[in-house]
Amino acid sequence: MKAKAFIQVLRTNDWWNNIIPPILGFFALGQLSLAPDFRILYMFGNVFLLMIFTAIFGFFIGEWSDIKDDTKAGKKNLLVGKSSSFKFGFTILSVIGICFFSFQLRLSNFDLYLLVIAQMLCFILYSIPPFRLKKNKLASLVLDSLYSGTLMYVFVFAIGRQDATGSLVVLFIWGFLRGQRNYILHTLNDAKNDQQIGIKKHWKLI
């Protein structure tokens, strides 16, 4: 696969422009309570790479599971024709990256690792059969709002405090509402393709 096509498969523009920057920003804000030192720079690097591998995992399995529906809708899918070994191998590589950089953070609060697990579970429930909840209007709204930033906002902001509760409730609510807004706008823009493949989750403007 050519480098340009490979980048398109991962839909880097989506997560590089809209997801990674705010996550890194909330990580930086969460570190304000700590004295600046080399440890923070080390953690920043690990958080950055963790977010990259997490985004790759989510968008890759999404593209893979959409092959059949994309073909039906006449939509280009760059994983069509790729071998199963390539698909499985790349998915496993992304999971290894997530696990490695998560544990490199050496967090003392296990609840924070649960947020990473929840993020991956949201991707799986949303995209992969037999769940494939992206075809359910309410479930897809909730899952998309969670994995599109909310869980990772809370995760990275809490790292500096080693706490995923309390004051983070406001951040969670804000991220969730932001995710709902983005999801509805995306659904309105993609209504034609969804109708062709039988997904009934359209939101009408009043």
Side-chain angles (χ1 to χ4, degrees), residues 103-114:
F103 288 110
Q104 283 295 102
L105 292 172
R106 294 181 173 84
L107 304 175
S108 62
N109 190 333
F110 185 73
D111 288 347
L112 295 178
Y113 291 116
L114 292 180

Side-chain angles (χ1 to χ4, degrees), residues 33-93:
S33 62
L34 302 177
D37 56 21
F38 178 77
R39 168 69 177 166
I40 292 179
L41 294 178
Y42 174 78
M43 292 180 68
F44 184 89
N46 281 291
V47 166
F48 177 75
L49 291 172
L50 172 60
M51 294 304 105
I52 294 295
F53 277 97
T54 301
I56 288 175
F57 173 79
F59 284 108
F60 189 80
I61 66 171
E63 187 78 2
W64 184 1
S65 62
D66 281 343
I67 290 177
K68 183 177 180 180
D69 285 345
D70 285 347
T71 301
K72 184 177 180 180
K75 185 179 178 181
K76 186 176 182 180
N77 187 303
L78 294 176
L79 287 183
V80 171
K82 302 303 176 185
S83 67
S84 295
S85 59
F86 171 83
K87 297 169 186 173
F88 278 112
F90 198 85
T91 302
I92 292 172
L93 179 63

Side-chain angles (χ1 to χ4, degrees), residues 15 48 62 95 113 173 176 183:
W15 50 267
F48 177 75
V95 172
Y113 291 116
I173 293 173
F176 190 77
Y183 173 83

Side-chain angles (χ1 to χ4, degrees), residues 1-10 76 78-79 82 86 90:
M1 180 184 292
K2 295 181 179 179
K4 183 177 180 180
F6 187 69
I7 291 174
Q8 289 177 329
V9 168
L10 301 178
K76 186 176 182 180
L78 294 176
L79 287 183
K82 302 303 176 185
F86 171 83
F90 198 85

Side-chain angles (χ1 to χ4, degrees), residues 185-204:
L185 290 176
H186 173 76
T187 302
L188 289 171
N189 291 332
D190 207 32
K192 183 177 179 180
N193 286 334
D194 286 346
Q195 186 176 20
Q196 287 181 299
I197 60 177
I199 297 179
K200 299 178 181 179
K201 61 177 184 183
H202 310 314
W203 302 82
K204 298 180 179 180

Side-chain angles (χ1 to χ4, degrees), residues 112-130:
L112 295 178
Y113 291 116
L114 292 180
L115 288 176
V116 177
I117 295 173
Q119 175 81 8
M120 297 176 69
L121 184 60
C122 284
F123 285 137
I124 292 170
L125 292 175
Y126 184 85
S127 297
I128 299 179

